[in-house]
Structure formats: structure tokens, C-alpha cells
Amino acid sequence: MNYHWNWDIFFQTIPSGDETYLMWVIHGLGWTVAISLAAWVIALVLGSLAGILRTVPNRRIAMIGDVWVEFFRNVPLLMQLFLWFFVVPELLPRDLSLWVKQDMPAKEFITAVLALGLFTSARVAEQVRAGIQALPRGQRNAGLALGFTQAQTYRYVLLPMAFRIIIPPLTSEFMNAFKNSGVAYAVGVWELVFVSRQMVEETGGQVIESLLVPTVLYIVCAYAANRIMAVVERRSHVPGFIVAK
Amino acid sequence: MKKLHALLALSVACSVGAASAQQLEGTLKKVADAKAITLGIRESSFPLSYLDASQKPIGYHIDICNAVANAVKAKLKLASLDVKTQAVTSQNRIPLIVNGTVDLECGSTTNNLDRQKQVAFAPTTFVTNVRMAVKKASGVTDLDQLDGKPLATTTGTTSVQLVRASEKGKNLNFKEVYGKDHADSFLMLETDRAVGFVMDDNLLAGLIANSKAPDAYAIVGPALSVEPIAIMLRKDDPQFKAIVDDTVKGLAKSGELTKLYHKWFESPIPPKGINLKFAMSDELKKLVATPNDNPAESFKK
């Protein structure tokens, strides 16, 4: 292949100012990490809640969790992002709608975090439910027999074990949060995919360099997430209880 | 002995090969061998290169590329030439030209010095001015009025840097919003997420003509940039470049290019029978009179 390599593009100054493209990439990495971490917090909190709801004995309450999971799990992520960005503001009263569309600070970032957080929450919910249901039924009964309420049974008996069981799939989900954050470019967040696409254009088609560097940074982010979760797994390990290494 | 025969046969084959290679090289040889040429097309670069209702690529640049394909067929004295098409995007068009997937890119590519490091261009066949679409009701006529207001443009286009440069130059501060494609950016203007949309004027004219209320929009303000748009081909391929250049120059000289322009920019075109009413700019009239492949940088005053 007759490709004209040029790694110097990262040290070139952008046409409109004093930054280099390397600064752009670092800036983009910052937004990618910010979106992913913020979305992960939302996903973990709401996902745990929805997952727990799905396992409670009361069918009506469990239904709320079911609907939550089925909606956020069965609609494509990009579609959810566009729903939040283009559709939801139109449903608001006119003045509020205009404020959201034009003046709300960091509107693209907030929309992206919300969309990614809710999407991921459905997946976390399924893992939490699976973790709880993987426990022998006697555990719940034992808790209740000891005089715990349902809430106390979850808090002191079921969840401490369930969360330990699901650390490996949660690790994958945490890594997915980083990888899925790339869709945020579609609403205009200046993150890694955005930077990569813009660099391809502005450098006159240095596609390979512009794609490789963000790719490597995604690998670094996802792998860092993996290592963090490995530490969590080791620290929270209970001797004699499942997946002992 | 057998080995010697094989060697002999091989050397004869090589010398025959060398003889024909002397006559044909690069893209022409590739096309002659395959009896096929591949045109890179865009799916929504209205009206330069886009898909009609039956998903067939049509447009101003497709017509010009077909003229080039005919010239290649005549030059190679081929009984038949298979003209294939391959959809390309603004991200992959240069790599696909460079790696040989596409022989001629018939889209809406700006000819500039950066790109000339990788590829070559035919003489310029269209000139675009980067301007701004607004809702007429907003009363906006210039970028200066948009200080502190949201302004849309499309990710991965030169307009992004033009907007940033004009912010710095005029000491303005826009709230930039970015659509992932032109349809999204226009949707931002339509739904009041943005007060203006900065893009190539021919694309803006196409989006406005196809919108629900074409009369509600106007293209305003001075040009942020003047860019030559040209058909793209592989670099360092003199034989093929000569045919492409001669064909385009021939079309310009015979008046055929002006007719094609009228057909695509000033008459009703598929799929909806919309007329862009987009008169030929003075820059393009000059280029039709004296065709050249000068890059965008030479257009700056």
C-alpha cells in the first residue's frame, strides 16, 4: 500500500489556533473518561435498584424493574441517545424546551451521560438479578427466619454475596461503558471518536494515525477498568466463598 | 533440463510483460487487465453524487466520471468496459483511492495541499462557498450576530475549523453544536437547537430545497471559505491523469460542462423533481474558461 505515513500530525498546530492535535487527543480522552465514569455511576446505582426490584416477592413492584430493563435493553444505544437529544426536549413546555436546546450548560455531555448510564443500567440490573437468583433460596428464608425484614435480608444476606458473584460480568460492563461512550460524538461531545473523525478531515486524510491513537487509548482505558475491578475483586474476596484464586 | 525450460519460459513471459507495461502503467494497466473501472460514489452529496429512488448513483460528478470512463474505454480500445461503483464516505475516500479499491472518486472532495500529499485531482469542476443557513424569521444576516448563540456544523468537515477560526479572528464566542451528518445538523437548525448552520452553500441549498418549508430558510453572510471541488484519482499516475484532464478540459471547452451544470443545478432533478436554482458562481465560470487543478490554498486572497 502506498500510504504516506505522517506521525508528526500530532505535533502540528491546528489551523485555527495555538493547540496541537496532541492536545486535542488528550482533551478528547478527558471527555471519554468523564462520560464513562459518570455513566457508570448512574448505571451502578439505578441498575442495582432495578435488579433488586426484579427479585422482590411482590409482583407489582417487580414489574417496575421488568419494564425498566426491557425498555433500556431492547432499544439500540444510538437510538436512545437521539431520543434524549432530539425528542425529549420537544415534549417540554416551549420556554423550557428552548432553554434546554440552546442555553443549558454542557447539554451534549449531560445527554450522553444520561443515555449511556440508563442503557448500561439495564445490563447491570440483569447481572444483579442473576447474582441474587444464583444464591440458594434457603439464604433468603434464613434471613427472614432470623427476624430480618425484606430490606435487611437484602442488605445483610443477599446483596453482599450477590455482588461478589457478579464482579466478573460487572467488569465487562464497566469496560463496555468506556467503549460505548464513543457514540457521544453523534450529539457533538468533543471526545475521542469526535477528535479522530475531525483529525482525519483536517490533516488531509491521515486516517491510520488518526484512528490508531484513539484505538490504543480505548484499549488503555478498558484495560485500566479491568485492572481496577480485579483489585476490587481481590479486596472483597471472602475465603471459602466462590471464585477463590 | 526441465528447470532450464521453465526458466526460459519464465524469462520470455517476463519480457512480454515488460513490453506491454511500457505502454500501459498504473490505473490504465489495471483497468485494461480487469476490463473494469471502479468509481467511488457518495450516497448523499446532493447534487454532485447521490442515490436516486432506485438506489442508483446519479449526479453532476457521476456524469463527468462516466465521460472519463468512456474516454478510457476508447483509449484502451476495449469492446466493453465494466463500470463498477463503490460507495465511499468522507472518512474512507482517500484510503480507498490509495489502496486501489476505487479508481476515480466522483463525490464532493475539496482539492487542498494536504490531500495532494496522498492523491491527485482532476481539473476543478465545482466551487463551493462555505456560508450559513438561517431561518428567515430570525433576521440573522451575518455570523457577527451569533455571539453567544448556538451555531451548528457537521463533525469531520472543514467547516468546524472555519467556524473556530472566525471566532478567534473576530473575537466572538459561539456555542458550537455538532451534527454527525448534514441531515442531523440541519435538524438542529430546524428544531431551534442552533440559530445558524455553517456548511458548503450547495449542500445547504440541497437541504433547504428538500426540507418541509424551503421558503422559511435563507443562505446568508459572506463566504468563510472558497473551495475547489474536484474528482479525485491516484497520485503519480501520469497516463491516467492525462486522460482525466483531457476529458474534463474537453467537456469545459465544448460547453458540455456548462450544460451538465444547468442540468443538475438549475433544473428539476430526481428523486423529488426539486430545482436547486443554484446559478454558476463567478469562480466556476472562470475555471470553465481556463480549467486547472489548483488547490484551495490558491483561492485565498
Side-chain angles (χ1 to χ4, degrees):
Chain A
M1 199 170 97
N2 191 12
Y3 188 79
H4 173 93
W5 290 92
N6 184 9
W7 289 100
D8 289 342
I9 54 170
F10 290 99
F11 303 102
Q12 267 174 29
T13 319
I14 58 170
S16 53
D18 32 10
E19 285 179 289
T20 57
Y21 284 111
L22 184 66
M23 287 309 295
W24 265 25
V25 172
I26 293 169
H27 194 73
L29 177 66
W31 280 110
T32 291
V33 171
I35 294 168
S36 312
L37 291 182
W40 180 241
V41 171
I42 293 179
L44 211 52
V45 172
L46 296 179
S48 301
L49 209 64
I52 293 167
L53 285 185
R54 293 197 81 180
T55 62
V56 298
N58 185 327
R59 269 316 299 161
R60 287 215 185 118
I61 297 177
M63 276 266 284
I64 301 172
D66 295 348
V67 172
W68 181 279
V69 168
E70 296 310 339
F71 179 77
F72 290 112
R73 186 170 61 166
N74 294 336
V75 179
L77 174 55
L78 192 59
M79 199 59 120
Q80 291 190 29
L81 184 62
F82 283 157
L83 281 177
W84 289 112
F85 195 73
F86 284 114
V87 180
V88 172
E90 299 300 327
L91 306 177
L92 301 171
R94 171 136 183 94
D95 285 347
L96 184 61
S97 165
L98 264 185
W99 181 82
V100 169
K101 287 191 287 190
Q102 298 195 349
D103 298 319
M104 189 170 95
K107 54 188 183 295
E108 295 91 353
F109 173 74
I110 293 171
T111 314
V113 167
L114 195 66
L116 181 59
L118 294 176
F119 173 81
T120 311
S121 80
R123 305 174 56 93
V124 171
E126 278 305 85
Q127 289 159 11
V128 170
R129 180 178 70 96
I132 293 170
Q133 291 179 343
L135 300 171
R137 193 174 304 163
Q139 295 282 344
R140 185 195 294 266
N141 293 340
L144 294 174
L146 280 174
F148 283 166
T149 61
Q150 282 288 354
Q152 285 171 325
T153 310
Y154 273 101
R155 168 67 185 84
Y156 297 107
V157 182
L158 301 178
L159 293 181
M161 286 188 291
F163 273 112
R164 282 183 171 82
I165 296 174
I166 62 169
I167 286 175
L170 277 183
T171 305
S172 297
E173 223 44 70
F174 190 24
M175 294 165 76
N176 280 344
F178 281 93
K179 290 178 279 182
N180 291 340
S181 71
V183 297
Y185 96 87
V187 292
V189 183
W190 203 281
E191 45 70 73
L192 281 175
V193 175
F194 189 115
V195 169
S196 157
R197 287 176 65 105
Q198 197 57 37
M199 276 191 69
V200 170
E201 171 63 31
E202 295 194 9
T203 57
Q206 298 298 343
V207 182
I208 301 184
E209 300 88 337
S210 307
L211 284 175
L212 269 185
V213 168
T215 302
V216 169
L217 290 175
Y218 274 114
I219 295 175
V220 170
C221 284
Y223 191 68
N226 177 299
R227 288 300 88 196
I228 290 168
M229 291 299 277
V231 171
V232 172
E233 187 172 8
R234 256 199 312 278
R235 288 281 173 85
S236 63
H237 176 234
V238 176
F241 179 66
I242 211 162
V243 288
K245 270 185 199 162
Chain B
M1 199 59 195
K2 233 176 194 172
K3 228 179 208 171
L4 195 71
H5 274 296
L7 259 173
L8 204 67
L10 193 72
S11 67
V12 168
C14 278
S15 62
V16 169
S20 67
Q22 234 171 23
Q23 291 150 3
L24 287 181
E25 55 182 36
T27 305
L28 280 192
K29 179 167 186 341
K30 178 172 173 263
V31 171
D33 289 348
K35 294 194 173 48
I37 186 166
T38 307
L39 308 182
I41 58 109
R42 297 294 295 270
E43 293 175 331
S44 57
S45 289
F46 198 76
L48 297 174
S49 173
Y50 64 102
L51 299 179
D52 69 3
S54 61
Q55 304 296 302
K56 198 171 115 306
I58 54 170
Y60 173 70
H61 270 172
I62 304 284
D63 281 357
I64 297 174
C65 279
N66 279 326
V68 173
N70 279 333
V72 169
K73 187 179 159 191
K75 164 92 180 176
L76 297 176
K77 299 189 179 69
L78 292 173
S80 70
L81 177 67
D82 188 8
V83 180
K84 295 180 187 164
T85 58
Q86 160 78 48
V88 300
T89 66
S90 53
Q91 262 78 47
N92 69 18
R93 59 192 171 187
I94 290 176
L96 291 183
I97 279 281
V98 170
N99 75 13
T101 309
V102 166
D103 299 312
L104 203 56
E105 198 255 359
C106 323
S108 54
T109 308
T110 300
N111 175 352
N112 64 30
L113 283 178
D114 270 338
R115 290 187 178 141
Q116 286 192 1
K117 287 178 197 157
Q118 305 255 19
V119 292
F121 290 91
T124 300
T125 37
F126 185 68
V127 176
T128 187
N129 291 290
V130 176
R131 295 177 71 202
M132 176 171 64
V134 296
K135 283 189 175 170
K136 277 183 193 164
S138 71
V140 172
T141 54
D142 200 330
L143 265 182
D144 301 5
Q145 290 163 267
L146 290 188
D147 197 15
K149 300 242 173 66
L151 181 63
T153 185
T154 306
T155 316
T157 65
T158 40
S159 302
V160 174
Q161 50 173 269
L162 291 172
V163 166
R164 286 167 72 101
S166 64
E167 260 184 318
K168 280 249 163 81
K170 294 182 171 176
N171 211 7
L172 298 170
N173 190 13
F174 310 125
K175 287 182 195 156
E176 289 111 325
V177 289
Y178 303 98
K180 78 168 173 21
D181 52 37
H182 301 319
D184 272 1
S185 301
F186 193 77
L187 184 61
M188 292 192 181
L189 177 63
E190 205 171 13
T191 58
D192 296 318
R193 287 189 159 272
V195 182
F197 171 19
V198 172
M199 191 39 61
D200 303 0
D201 54 359
N202 61 303
L203 296 176
L204 292 177
L207 289 161
I208 290 173
N210 279 303
S211 72
K212 276 178 270 172
D215 290 334
Y217 302 93
I219 298 175
V220 299
L224 295 185
S225 162
V226 180
E227 297 187 359
I229 306 287
I231 290 165
M232 182 164 65
L233 56 149
R234 260 182 294 287
K235 199 175 146 82
D236 302 327
D237 192 354
Q239 287 185 351
F240 188 52
K241 170 92 167 113
I243 291 193
V244 174
D245 283 2
D246 290 348
T247 309
V248 174
K249 284 177 184 168
L251 290 174
K253 204 168 175 192
S254 69
E256 192 60 32
L257 197 69
T258 310
K259 270 188 216 155
L260 284 177
Y261 186 92
H262 183 72
K263 171 183 167 193
W264 290 102
F265 288 92
E266 298 175 298
S267 325
I269 50 171
K272 292 191 197 161
I274 281 166
N275 182 346
L276 288 182
K277 296 178 194 155
F278 195 79
M280 195 185 267
S281 62
D282 292 340
E283 290 94 348
L284 186 54
K285 280 182 190 155
K286 257 184 254 164
L287 284 162
V288 171
T290 51
N292 65 59
D293 60 358
N294 294 342
E297 284 76 1
S298 70
F299 282 69
K300 281 182 188 144
K301 288 147 219 162

